[in-house]
Coordinates of all heavy atoms in Angstrom, one line a residue:
R305 N 94.9 32.4 124.4 CA 93.9 31.5 125.2 C 92.5 31.8 124.4 O 92.3 32.9 123.9 CB 93.7 32.1 126.5 CG 95.0 31.9 127.4 CD 95.1 32.9 128.6 NE 94.0 32.6 129.6 CZ 93.8 33.5 130.6 NH1 94.4 34.6 130.6 NH2 92.8 33.1 131.4
C306 N 91.8 30.7 124.3 CA 90.5 30.8 123.5 C 89.3 30.4 124.4 O 89.4 29.5 125.3 CB 90.6 29.9 122.3 SG 92.1 30.2 121.2
G307 N 88.2 30.8 124.0 CA 86.9 30.6 124.7 C 85.6 31.0 124.0 O 85.7 31.6 122.9
W308 N 84.6 30.6 124.6 CA 83.2 30.8 123.8 C 83.0 32.4 123.8 O 83.7 33.1 124.6 CB 82.1 30.2 124.7 CG 82.1 28.7 124.7 CD1 82.3 27.9 125.8 CD2 82.0 27.8 123.6 NE1 82.3 26.6 125.3 CE2 82.1 26.5 123.9 CE3 81.9 28.1 122.1 CZ2 82.1 25.4 123.1 CZ3 81.8 27.0 121.3 CH2 81.8 25.7 121.9
F309 N 82.2 32.8 122.9 CA 81.8 34.2 122.8 C 81.2 34.7 124.2 O 80.2 34.0 124.7 CB 80.8 34.5 121.7 CG 80.5 35.9 121.4 CD1 81.4 36.5 120.4 CD2 79.5 36.6 122.0 CE1 81.2 38.0 120.3 CE2 79.4 38.0 121.8 CZ 80.2 38.7 120.9
D310 N 81.7 35.7 124.8 CA 81.3 36.3 126.0 C 80.4 37.5 125.8 O 81.0 38.7 125.5 CB 82.4 36.5 127.0 CG 81.9 36.9 128.3 OD1 80.8 37.4 128.5 OD2 82.8 36.7 129.3
A311 N 79.0 37.3 125.8 CA 78.3 38.4 125.3 C 78.2 39.5 126.5 O 78.0 40.8 126.2 CB 76.8 38.0 125.1
I312 N 78.5 39.2 127.7 CA 78.5 40.1 128.8 C 79.6 41.1 128.6 O 79.6 42.3 128.8 CB 78.6 39.4 130.1 CG1 77.4 38.5 130.4 CG2 78.6 40.4 131.3 CD1 76.0 39.1 130.1
L313 N 80.9 40.4 128.2 CA 82.0 41.2 128.1 C 81.9 42.2 126.8 O 82.2 43.4 127.0 CB 83.1 40.2 127.7 CG 84.6 40.8 127.5 CD1 85.3 40.8 128.8 CD2 85.3 39.9 126.5
A314 N 81.3 41.6 125.8 CA 81.2 42.5 124.6 C 80.2 43.6 124.7 O 80.2 44.6 124.3 CB 81.0 41.6 123.4
R315 N 79.2 43.1 125.4 CA 78.0 44.2 125.7 C 78.5 45.4 126.5 O 78.1 46.6 126.1 CB 76.9 43.5 126.4 CG 75.6 44.4 126.7 CD 75.1 45.2 125.6 NE 74.1 46.2 126.0 CZ 74.0 47.4 125.3 NH1 74.6 47.7 124.2 NH2 73.0 48.3 125.6
Y316 N 79.4 45.2 127.4 CA 79.9 46.3 128.2 C 80.8 47.3 127.3 O 80.7 48.4 127.5 CB 80.8 45.7 129.4 CG 81.2 46.7 130.3 CD1 80.3 47.2 131.3 CD2 82.5 47.3 130.3 CE1 80.7 48.2 132.2 CE2 82.9 48.4 131.2 CZ 82.0 48.8 132.2 OH 82.3 49.7 133.0
S317 N 81.5 46.6 126.3 CA 82.3 47.3 125.4 C 81.3 48.2 124.5 O 81.7 49.5 124.2 CB 83.0 46.4 124.5 OG 84.0 45.6 125.1
C318 N 80.1 47.6 124.1 CA 79.3 48.6 123.5 C 78.8 49.8 124.3 O 78.8 50.9 123.7 CB 78.1 47.7 123.1 SG 78.3 46.4 121.8
I319 N 78.6 49.5 125.6 CA 78.2 50.6 126.5 C 79.2 51.8 126.4 O 79.0 52.8 126.3 CB 77.9 50.0 127.8 CG1 76.5 49.1 127.6 CG2 77.6 51.2 128.7 CD1 76.3 48.4 128.9
V320 N 80.4 51.3 126.7 CA 81.5 52.4 127.0 C 82.1 52.9 125.9 O 82.6 54.1 125.9 CB 82.7 51.8 127.9 CG1 82.1 51.2 129.3 CG2 83.4 50.7 127.3
N321 N 81.8 52.3 124.7 CA 82.4 52.9 123.5 C 81.3 53.6 122.6 O 81.6 54.4 121.6 CB 83.0 51.7 122.6 CG 84.3 51.3 123.1 OD1 85.3 52.0 123.0 ND2 84.3 50.0 123.5
G322 N 80.1 53.3 122.9 CA 79.0 53.8 122.0 C 78.9 53.1 120.7 O 78.7 53.7 119.7
I323 N 79.1 51.9 120.7 CA 79.3 51.1 119.4 C 78.0 50.9 118.8 O 77.0 50.7 119.4 CB 79.8 49.6 119.7 CG1 81.3 49.7 120.2 CG2 79.7 48.7 118.5 CD1 81.9 48.4 120.6
S324 N 77.9 51.4 117.5 CA 76.7 51.3 116.8 C 76.6 50.3 115.7 O 75.7 50.2 115.0 CB 76.5 52.8 116.1 OG 77.5 53.2 115.5
Q325 N 77.8 49.7 115.4 CA 77.9 48.6 114.4 C 78.9 47.7 114.8 O 79.9 48.0 115.5 CB 78.5 49.1 113.0 CG 77.5 50.2 112.2 CD 78.1 50.4 110.8 OE1 78.2 49.4 110.0 NE2 78.4 51.7 110.5
I326 N 78.6 46.4 114.5 CA 79.5 45.2 114.9 C 80.1 44.7 113.7 O 79.5 44.4 112.8 CB 78.7 44.2 115.7 CG1 78.0 44.8 116.9 CG2 79.7 43.0 116.1 CD1 79.1 45.2 118.0
A327 N 81.5 44.4 113.7 CA 82.2 43.7 112.7 C 82.6 42.3 113.4 O 83.2 42.3 114.5 CB 83.3 44.2 112.2
V328 N 81.9 41.2 112.9 CA 82.4 39.8 113.4 C 83.5 39.1 112.5 O 83.2 39.1 111.3 CB 81.1 39.0 113.5 CG1 81.5 37.5 114.0 CG2 80.1 39.6 114.3
T329 N 84.4 38.7 113.2 CA 85.6 38.0 112.4 C 85.7 36.6 112.7 O 85.2 36.0 113.7 CB 86.9 38.8 112.7 OG1 87.2 38.5 114.0 CG2 86.9 40.3 112.3
K330 N 86.3 35.8 111.8 CA 86.7 34.5 112.1 C 85.5 33.6 112.4 O 85.5 32.5 113.1 CB 87.8 34.3 113.2 CG 89.0 34.9 112.9 CD 90.1 34.4 113.8 CE 91.6 34.7 113.3 NZ 92.7 34.3 114.1
L331 N 84.3 33.8 111.7 CA 83.3 33.0 111.8 C 83.6 31.5 111.4 O 83.1 30.5 111.9 CB 81.9 33.5 111.0 CG 80.7 32.8 111.1 CD1 80.0 32.8 112.5 CD2 79.7 32.9 109.9
D332 N 84.3 31.5 110.3 CA 84.7 30.2 109.7 C 85.5 29.2 110.6 O 85.4 27.9 110.5 CB 85.7 30.4 108.5 CG 87.0 31.3 108.8 OD1 86.7 32.4 109.2 OD2 88.0 30.7 108.6
V333 N 86.1 29.8 111.7 CA 86.8 29.0 112.6 C 85.9 28.0 113.3 O 86.2 27.0 113.9 CB 87.7 29.8 113.7 CG1 88.4 28.9 114.7 CG2 88.7 30.6 112.9
L334 N 84.6 28.4 113.5 CA 83.6 27.6 114.2 C 82.8 26.6 113.2 O 82.0 25.8 113.7 CB 82.6 28.5 114.8 CG 83.0 29.6 115.8 CD1 81.9 30.4 116.3 CD2 83.9 28.9 116.9
D335 N 83.2 26.5 112.1 CA 82.5 25.7 111.0 C 82.4 24.3 111.3 O 81.3 23.5 111.0 CB 83.2 25.9 109.6 CG 83.0 27.1 108.9 OD1 82.1 27.9 109.4 OD2 83.7 27.3 107.9
D336 N 83.2 23.7 112.1 CA 83.3 22.3 112.4 C 82.7 21.8 113.7 O 82.8 20.6 114.0 CB 84.8 21.8 112.3 CG 85.4 22.0 110.9 OD1 84.7 22.0 109.9 OD2 86.7 22.3 110.9
L337 N 82.2 22.8 114.4 CA 81.7 22.5 115.8 C 80.4 22.2 115.8 O 79.4 22.8 115.1 CB 81.9 23.7 116.7 CG 83.4 24.2 117.0 CD1 83.3 25.3 117.9 CD2 84.3 23.0 117.4
K338 N 79.9 21.0 116.5 CA 78.5 20.6 116.4 C 77.6 21.5 117.2 O 76.4 21.7 117.0 CB 78.4 19.1 117.0 CG 79.1 18.1 116.1 CD 78.9 16.7 116.6 CE 79.5 15.6 115.6 NZ 79.4 14.3 116.2
E339 N 78.3 22.0 118.4 CA 77.4 22.9 119.3 C 78.3 24.1 119.6 O 79.6 24.0 119.7 CB 77.1 22.2 120.6 CG 76.0 21.1 120.5 CD 75.6 20.6 121.8 OE1 76.5 20.8 122.8 OE2 74.7 20.0 121.9
I340 N 77.6 25.2 119.6 CA 78.3 26.4 119.9 C 77.7 27.1 121.1 O 76.5 27.3 121.1 CB 78.4 27.4 118.7 CG1 79.1 26.6 117.6 CG2 79.1 28.7 119.0 CD1 79.0 27.3 116.3
K341 N 78.5 27.7 122.1 CA 78.0 28.3 123.2 C 78.1 29.8 123.2 O 79.2 30.3 122.6 CB 78.6 27.6 124.6 CG 78.2 26.2 124.7 CD 78.8 25.7 126.1 CE 78.4 24.2 126.3 NZ 79.0 23.6 127.5
I342 N 77.3 30.5 123.8 CA 77.5 31.9 124.0 C 77.3 32.2 125.7 O 76.2 31.6 126.2 CB 76.4 32.6 123.3 CG1 76.4 32.4 121.8 CG2 76.5 34.3 123.5 CD1 75.4 33.1 121.0
G343 N 78.3 32.9 126.2 CA 78.0 33.4 127.5 C 77.1 34.5 127.6 O 77.3 35.6 127.0
V344 N 76.0 34.3 128.4 CA 75.0 35.4 128.4 C 74.8 36.0 129.9 O 74.0 36.8 130.0 CB 73.5 34.8 127.9 CG1 73.7 34.4 126.5 CG2 73.2 33.6 128.7
G345 N 75.5 35.3 130.9 CA 75.5 36.0 132.2 C 76.6 35.2 133.0 O 77.2 34.3 132.7
Y346 N 76.7 35.7 134.3 CA 77.5 35.0 135.3 C 76.8 34.9 136.5 O 75.9 35.5 136.9 CB 78.9 36.0 135.7 CG 79.6 36.5 134.4 CD1 80.1 37.8 134.5 CD2 79.9 35.6 133.4 CE1 81.1 38.3 133.5 CE2 80.8 36.0 132.4 CZ 81.3 37.4 132.5 OH 82.1 37.8 131.4
R347 N 77.3 33.7 137.2 CA 76.7 33.5 138.6 C 78.0 33.8 139.5 O 78.9 33.2 139.3 CB 76.3 32.1 138.7 CG 75.0 31.9 138.1 CD 74.3 30.7 138.7 NE 73.1 30.3 138.0 CZ 72.9 29.5 136.9 NH1 74.0 28.9 136.4 NH2 71.8 29.4 136.4
Y348 N 77.8 34.7 140.6 CA 78.9 34.8 141.4 C 78.3 35.3 142.9 O 77.4 36.2 142.9 CB 79.8 36.1 141.0 CG 81.0 36.3 142.0 CD1 82.0 35.4 142.0 CD2 80.9 37.5 142.5 CE1 83.0 35.9 143.0 CE2 81.9 37.9 143.5 CZ 82.9 37.1 143.7 OH 83.9 37.4 144.7
G349 N 78.9 34.6 143.8 CA 78.3 34.9 145.2 C 76.8 34.8 145.3 O 76.2 35.5 146.2
G350 N 76.3 33.8 144.7 CA 74.8 33.5 144.9 C 74.0 34.6 144.0 O 72.8 34.4 144.2
K351 N 74.6 35.4 143.3 CA 74.0 36.3 142.4 C 74.1 36.2 140.8 O 75.1 35.5 140.5 CB 74.4 37.7 142.8 CG 74.0 38.1 144.2 CD 74.5 39.6 144.5 CE 74.1 40.0 146.0 NZ 74.6 41.3 146.1
W352 N 73.1 36.5 140.2 CA 73.1 36.5 138.7 C 73.7 37.7 138.3 O 73.1 38.8 138.6 CB 71.8 36.1 138.1 CG 71.7 36.3 136.7 CD1 71.6 37.4 136.1 CD2 71.6 35.2 135.6 NE1 71.4 37.2 134.6 CE2 71.5 35.9 134.4 CE3 71.8 33.9 135.7 CZ2 71.5 35.2 133.2 CZ3 71.6 33.1 134.5 CH2 71.6 33.7 133.4
L353 N 74.8 37.8 137.7 CA 75.4 39.2 137.1 C 75.0 39.3 135.6 O 75.4 38.4 134.8 CB 76.9 39.1 137.3 CG 77.5 38.8 138.7 CD1 79.0 39.0 138.6 CD2 76.7 39.9 139.7
R354 N 74.3 40.3 135.3 CA 74.0 40.5 133.9 C 74.9 41.7 133.2 O 74.7 41.9 131.9 CB 72.6 41.1 133.8 CG 71.4 40.0 134.2 CD 70.1 40.6 134.1 NE 69.1 39.6 134.6 CZ 68.7 38.6 133.9 NH1 69.0 38.6 132.7 NH2 67.7 37.8 134.4
H355 N 75.7 42.2 134.0 CA 76.8 43.1 133.5 C 78.1 42.8 133.9 O 78.3 42.2 134.9 CB 76.4 44.7 134.0 CG 75.1 45.1 133.5 ND1 74.8 45.4 132.2 CD2 73.9 45.1 134.0 CE1 73.5 45.8 132.0 NE2 73.0 45.7 133.3
F356 N 79.1 43.2 133.1 CA 80.4 42.8 133.5 C 81.0 43.4 134.8 O 80.9 44.6 134.7 CB 81.5 43.1 132.3 CG 82.8 42.4 132.3 CD1 82.9 41.1 132.1 CD2 83.8 43.2 132.7 CE1 84.0 40.5 132.0 CE2 85.0 42.5 132.8 CZ 85.1 41.1 132.6
P357 N 81.5 42.7 135.6 CA 81.8 43.3 136.9 C 83.1 44.0 137.0 O 84.1 43.5 136.2 CB 81.9 42.1 137.9 CG 82.2 40.9 137.1 CD 81.6 41.2 135.7

Side-chain angles (χ1 to χ4, degrees):
R305 299 157 63 193
C306 306
W308 296 117
F309 189 90
D310 189 333
I312 302 303
L313 182 92
R315 174 61 187 145
Y316 190 79
S317 298
C318 291
I319 292 170
V320 298
N321 287 293
I323 290 171
S324 50
Q325 295 187 60
I326 300 292
V328 176
T329 65
K330 293 199 171 184
L331 183 75
D332 55 300
V333 176
L334 303 181
D335 286 351
D336 301 327
L337 299 183
K338 292 181 180 179
E339 290 186 340
I340 299 171
K341 295 182 180 181
I342 302 174
V344 295
Y346 302 142
R347 288 194 184 95
Y348 177 70
K351 297 180 180 179
W352 170 281
L353 304 182
R354 297 182 182 273
H355 298 285
F356 195 76

